[in-house]
Amino acid sequence: MHFRVKLKNSTRHFLYLRANSTLMPQNTLLLDVLNGKPVNRPPIWIMRQAGRILPEYRALRSRLSGFVELVTTPDLAAEVTVQPVDRLGVDAAIIFSDILVIPECMGLHYELIEKKGPFFPETIKGIADIEALDSGESAASRLSYVFDAINETKKRLEDRVPLIGFSGAPWTLMCYMIEGSGSKTFSKAKAVLYKEPAMAHKLLQKLTDTVIEYLKLKVKSGVDVVQVFDSWAGVLDQQTYTKFSLPYIEQIVAAINDLVPTIVFAKGAHFSLDDILNGQSNAVGLDWSIDIPQIRKFVGSDRVLQGNMDPCVLYGSKDRIAEKVKQIHSQMGQNHIFNLGHGVYPDTPLENVISFVNSVKSLEY
Ligand code: CP3
């Protein structure tokens, strides 16, 4: 049980107290940056840190029927959530789960096909399919395996580092629900925006209502921070993004950042970055295509930015990694959360990932 006590007038400044009255967690770097407090180095966590880069993950995974078994078994999900904290020494854990649990709880079942990715046997084809979806609290409360995994993870972390919860942005979730799988263009999902905009809005609002209730339940279960992933933002343009993605992300952020700090990561959304930066989230994630000096010039030094090293730098030598870390650090300045510009690739050498984390941990302001 957690009590979240608001200390200042600003919605961005919280102090989190637990039932046993100890402050949480011991490593407060990430929460400090998100709450605008000074730190002596940037915190680091890595998108997709819980997963296939770790041999202990692969060993556990090979004993199971599949990915879905791992996601729906709280003890196992907690185990793989803590693995990167132990092995890599990152400053935060991210709960092991998937963005696709949202369509699942709304009634659209997903599978994960080995070496291919997500697959939905049924897809959304028309308004009747959208009307048949459950949404809001009744849908979200079906995801008890996620909330149980969070509870179990909090126990295993013993307050060492904060725990990040996450959700897909409504647009990215809609992409999978209409296409039924990944796609290079997401042209079926985009077609709906042009052919049937009212239907798109109906689906996006149902997703938003569900995501909000889901994230509230995640916070209640113990997550300290929430990140919204808009992984397919980059297939849209400024106008469609402004209509079909941003307003829904902002609804989510507005509902959650009174509870815990929020991070918005919209991959490829360079065309709408100014609007995202002007939004209410506590931090904005940048992909590697974004030029840091240009963004700092636009947004100033106070806005918290996350990212944005190209995951492919991690195929380079340790010196090259350290050099890139220093460059990003000097360009970002204060108010920075170190991360990659997207998820770490599964074939990245583990020792290089560890070297990346250590390079960041040797930085100083
Ligand atoms: O970041 C973490 O370490 C936490 C775990 C996490 C997973 N998925 C585990 C996972 C997170 C945050 C996600 C989010 C997710 N899932 C996103 C948004 C982030 C992004 O990368 O843009 C998206 C688009 C998905 C959908 C999804 N799930 C895809 C495309 C795939 C297959 C490709 C891949 O990334 O491996 C998955 C499966 C998945 N989700 C795996 C993991 C570890 C691989 C499963 C396995 O084979 O073990």
Side-chain angles (χ1 to χ4, degrees):
M1 181 70 181
H2 295 71
F3 300 101
R4 294 195 150 79
V5 182
K6 200 163 158 181
L7 286 184
K8 298 190 183 174
N9 283 335
S10 160
T11 53
R12 294 199 175 166
H13 292 81
F14 297 97
L15 183 65
Y16 303 102
L17 295 177
R18 312 192 84 189
N20 63 7
S21 292
T22 57
L23 289 176
M24 62 169 261
Q26 289 145 21
N27 178 338
T28 60
L29 277 174
L30 177 66
L31 294 175
D32 286 347
V33 172
L34 287 167
N35 289 323
K37 290 191 201 155
V39 287
N40 51 20
R41 68 160 171 92
I44 177 168
W45 69 279
I46 301 172
M47 289 186 273
R48 299 302 196 95
Q49 67 190 21
R52 289 178 300 193
I53 52 161
L54 297 181
E56 52 270 45
Y57 171 85
R58 288 197 292 264
L60 195 154
R61 173 79 168 72
S62 68
R63 296 198 302 269
L64 305 175
S65 63
F67 175 73
V68 174
E69 185 185 349
L70 185 45
V71 166
T72 53
T73 311
D75 265 357
L76 300 179
E79 186 175 337
V80 294
T81 300
V82 178
Q83 281 173 353
V85 176
D86 294 336
R87 176 69 90 116
L88 308 175
V90 283
D91 297 308
I94 176 162
I95 188 69
F96 188 86
S97 185
D98 202 87
I99 61 169
L100 303 176
V101 300
I102 287 290
E104 174 85 43
C105 78
M106 293 172 76
L108 209 65
H109 174 67
Y110 79 99
E111 293 163 13
L112 201 89
I113 313 276
E114 219 49 52
K115 297 197 169 73
K116 278 202 162 159
F119 175 69
F120 287 82
E122 305 290 334
T123 57
I124 299 295
K125 295 187 189 69
I127 195 78
D129 296 333
I130 297 173
E131 274 160 6
L133 293 171
D134 193 11
S135 64
E137 206 186 334
S138 73
S141 56
R142 267 186 211 115
L143 296 172
S144 53
Y145 54 83
V146 180
F147 313 129
D148 291 346
I150 292 169
N151 271 308
E152 181 57 30
T153 302
K154 291 296 281 188
K155 278 188 214 146
R156 295 187 190 205
L157 282 174
E158 295 176 318
D159 291 347
R160 282 178 289 159
V161 294
L163 179 61
I164 301 168
F166 68 89
S167 143
W171 161 247
T172 287
L173 296 171
M174 171 178 159
C175 280
Y176 285 106
M177 292 167 86
I178 290 181
E179 302 273 345
S181 65
S183 157
K184 276 207 175 112
T185 58
F186 286 99
S187 56
K188 279 189 207 151
K190 284 174 75 175
V192 175
L193 307 183
Y194 292 100
K195 280 162 68 176
E196 307 223 41
M199 181 176 122
H201 282 301
K202 185 148 184 103
L203 176 57
L204 290 163
Q205 190 59 54
K206 272 191 132 170
L207 281 162
T208 304
D209 296 345
T210 312
V211 165
I212 287 173
E213 294 308 321
Y214 171 60
L215 291 176
K216 282 185 179 168
L217 289 169
K218 272 186 159 174
V219 171
K220 217 170 156 188
S221 308
V223 303
D224 304 291
V225 174
V226 158
Q227 172 156 315
V228 179
F229 287 90
D230 205 357
S231 304
W232 303 114
V235 299
L236 297 179
D237 57 86
Q238 200 270 339
Q239 270 191 334
T240 44
Y241 200 73
T242 303
K243 263 198 209 140
F244 295 102
S245 193
L246 206 51
Y248 298 101
I249 292 178
E250 279 302 307
Q251 280 187 50
I252 296 167
V253 167
I256 302 303
N257 73 357
D258 270 353
L259 307 172
V260 293
T262 53
I263 305 170
V264 171
F265 174 61
K267 179 157 189 301
H270 52 88
F271 45 76
S272 286
L273 203 50
D274 51 351
D275 291 328
I276 297 169
L277 287 161
N278 283 328
Q280 295 297 304
S281 67
N282 297 69
V284 173
L286 305 179
D287 65 59
W288 66 85
S289 73
I290 303 298
D291 182 59
I292 303 165
Q294 223 176 318
I295 291 303
R296 275 290 180 219
K297 211 161 158 193
F298 169 75
V299 83
S301 56
D302 286 349
R303 192 77 165 106
V304 180
L305 301 175
Q306 176 176 278
N308 71 342
M309 196 170 89
D310 186 338
C312 290
V313 175
L314 296 179
Y315 295 116
S317 68
K318 295 196 169 125
D319 287 348
R320 185 74 193 95
I321 294 166
E323 193 187 316
K324 194 70 195 167
V325 162
K326 279 192 196 127
Q327 187 199 336
I328 291 173
H329 180 60
S330 72
Q331 293 179 333
M332 284 282 193
Q334 303 266 351
N335 298 309
H336 176 215
I337 300 162
F338 235 108
N339 206 317
L340 298 175
H342 198 191
V344 59
Y345 298 128
D347 63 345
T348 310
L350 182 59
E351 63 274 21
N352 290 10
V353 181
I354 293 170
S355 166
F356 170 44
V357 174
N358 289 337
S359 296
V360 172
K361 288 168 101 173
S362 68
L363 296 171
E364 276 173 34
Y365 281 123

